């Protein structure tokens, strides 16, 4: 069994949460300052990771948590747990 753990993603969830606009902007800014690319991920980026794990291309991958979060600074996101650091970061299309 494999799992996908997304980081901060651009979805309408925050906008629908009833947060006042200035607090919403602060929350989004707080998320994006913790991500080296300075942006939230897109749903399509998570979908691509899920599609990869569901594809024949990942037939020999088992028991991993694929953290799709572009190296979120406050956690271990952006790394496939168990993937040796010497092998580098796994990137889509690599």
């Amino acid at each position: 069994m494999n799992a996908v753990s997304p980081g901060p993603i651009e979805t309408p969830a925050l906008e629908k949460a009833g947060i006042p606009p200035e607090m919403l902007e602060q929350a989004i800014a707080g998320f994006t300052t913790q991500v080296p690319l300075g942006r939230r991920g897109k749903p399509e980026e998570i979908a691509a990771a899920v599609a990869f794990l569901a594809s024949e291309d990942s037939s020999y991958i088992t028991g991993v948590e694929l953290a799709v979060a572009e190296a979120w600074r406050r956690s271990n996101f952006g790394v496939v747990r168990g993937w040796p650091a010497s092998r580098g970061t796994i990137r889509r299309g690599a």
Side-chain angles (χ1 to χ4, degrees):
M1 180 185 319
N2 298 312
V4 174
S5 298
I9 304 301
E10 270 183 33
T11 67
L14 283 176
E15 288 81 358
K16 292 181 178 180
I19 301 170
E22 58 271 352
M23 287 182 71
L24 178 61
E25 287 179 32
Q26 287 176 345
I28 291 171
F31 291 140
T32 57
T33 61
Q34 299 304 312
V35 179
L37 286 179
R39 68 171 180 85
R40 293 182 290 168
K42 295 181 170 61
E44 300 83 30
E45 292 167 317
I46 304 305
V50 171
F52 167 71
L53 286 177
S55 76
E56 196 59 33
D57 289 337
S58 70
S59 64
Y60 201 62
I61 297 174
T62 60
V64 299
E65 178 184 0
L66 183 58
V68 184
E70 202 279 310
W72 204 10
R73 290 181 183 155
R74 290 195 176 185
S75 68
N76 291 328
F77 288 164
V79 176
V80 174
R81 291 188 185 147
W83 184 259
S86 62
R87 301 275 314 236
T89 303
I90 295 176
R91 298 207 179 270
R92 186 171 54 123

